[in-house]
DNA sequence: TGTACATCAGTGAACGCGCGTTCACTGATGTAC
DNA sequence: TGTACATCAGTGAACGCGCGTTCACTGATGTAC
């Protein structure tokens, strides 16, 4: 039962979307092809009509979910610098897992697995991270353009580190403290970076 | 061929040590019992004379490797505050993977897997993290004791986030930039925290 | 426009493989007398 | 101190299971005439 080209494209897209969520929720290695296909309303055999291997899907899922994070950040930036900065900061309040959020980003949700992933996947992750830095530089309102890239990198490193730690820690009080202390200090840094703009 | 109590204890210790390295290098899920036992010079069947399950070994390996990080940090602190701070900072220069280093810590090497680990393992990781914070507070030379914990948490979050990111990124230039920019900014913060001590 | 046929998305059984775990067995150790 | 026996660390075959991947098949789609 061959499907129309449009249906085929939609199916492929659906598989990637389902995979993004599954990898984010359960990890890459812990997620099976059959599980993904089943969640997409298909049987496992059809997978290889769309992808050459699981690794190829992992790479594509990584690329697409990084794009989602980037688009989501850009969309927030449409509403102004304040909204953009609040968008970045929001992750550190709830440690959100939703798509488009830093917390839903594969860099946080599957970080240590990505560090050991194949070259295609790491390429996708690196490319996405690089683009995220560029968006921050353009919309972050950093006073000193010479240090903007470093500031953006620092903010992302600290945010992602705090989110990862907060998910490991089983004591809710300490877990939230990690998010809050990191958010507080990054907000202080940002205030200073923008104060510089007025000077 | 029963072994003496001393030999048995040594074997158990060796299994844990081998496991720490294997989990750190290849990840938890990707490392099999047979692989660990073989690296310890044994066959896989004997594993269950020492541990009830793989999960139990994971939890113990997590606890022991966190202790190694903590002891290593305390040892550096013996040589004075400067040496201690340089010890923490060192990780951000080379992103080292050695035992006792933050980079060799399960929090960095297997971060996203730990976030989904069972309660025993997360307990061990949380406990270790908590103790690491305590060591930093005691030896970090923070001027304001009220904010020392927050400072320590922030430094660890940023350091771990940067190390994880630097291992994902495949472009060596950007990878090093992430470590360097994070190190530079944390050094600036520390200088300020100690300046406060003199005031 | 209608017909014949090649294409190929999706199915579901099957593949080899490695996993965590179990178990009967071996034989040196530790213990009770 | 010497002997008899229970213990149990380690071996290696075997277990069921789920994995990624393959394949013969189905039948609707897209194409060539």
């Amino acid at each position: 039962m061959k499907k129309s080209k449009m249906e085929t494209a939609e199916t492929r897209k659906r598989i990637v979307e389902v995979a993004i969520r599954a990898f984010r929720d359960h990890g890459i290695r812990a997620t099976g092809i059959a599980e993904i296909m089943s969640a997409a309303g298909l049987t496992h055999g059809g997978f290889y009509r769309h992808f050459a291997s699981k690794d190829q899907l992992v790479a594509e899922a990584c690329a697409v979910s990084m794009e989602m994070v980037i688009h989501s950040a850009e969309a927030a930036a449409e509403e102004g610098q304040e909204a953009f900065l609040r968008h970045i900061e929001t992750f550190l309040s709830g440690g959100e897992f939703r798509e488009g959020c830093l917390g839903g980003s594969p860099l946080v949700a599957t970080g240590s697995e990505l560090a050991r992933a194949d070259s295609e996947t790491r390429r996708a992750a690196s490319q996405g991270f690089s683009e995220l830095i560029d968006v921050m530089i353009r919309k972050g309102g950093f006073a000193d353009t010479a240090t903007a890239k470093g500031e953006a990198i620092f903010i992302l490193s600290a945010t992602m580190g705090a989110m990862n730690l907060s998910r490991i820690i089983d004591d809710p009080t300490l877990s939230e403290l990690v998010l809050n202390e990191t958010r507080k200090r990054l907000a202080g840094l940002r205030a200073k970076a923008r104060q510089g703009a007025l000077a």
Side-chain angles (χ1 to χ4, degrees), chain A residues 8 11 18 23 41 73 75-76 83 90 103 122 132-133 156 170 189-190 196:
Chain A
T8 301
T11 298
V18 163
F23 292 151
T90 297
R122 291 182 67 209
L132 193 56
I133 292 172
L156 289 172
D170 66 347
L189 281 182
R190 285 200 290 97

Side-chain angles (χ1 to χ4, degrees), chain A residues 12-79:
Chain A
R12 188 192 160 96
K13 200 180 154 197
R14 195 165 73 252
I15 293 171
V16 173
E17 280 164 1
V18 163
I20 287 172
R21 190 162 2 206
F23 292 151
R24 191 223 309 136
D25 292 347
H26 309 118
I28 295 170
R29 231 192 143 88
T31 302
I33 298 295
E35 183 187 337
I36 292 168
M37 292 300 279
S38 167
L42 300 162
T43 54
H44 63 277
F47 177 78
Y48 295 89
R49 294 283 164 199
H50 296 281
F51 304 93
S53 64
K54 182 184 179 180
D55 280 342
Q56 196 194 323
L57 172 65
V58 170
E60 189 159 332
C62 184
V64 171
S65 56
M66 284 307 296
E67 273 168 35
M68 289 166 85
V69 174
I70 291 158
H71 282 129
S72 152
E74 273 176 331
E78 295 282 299
E79 299 170 34

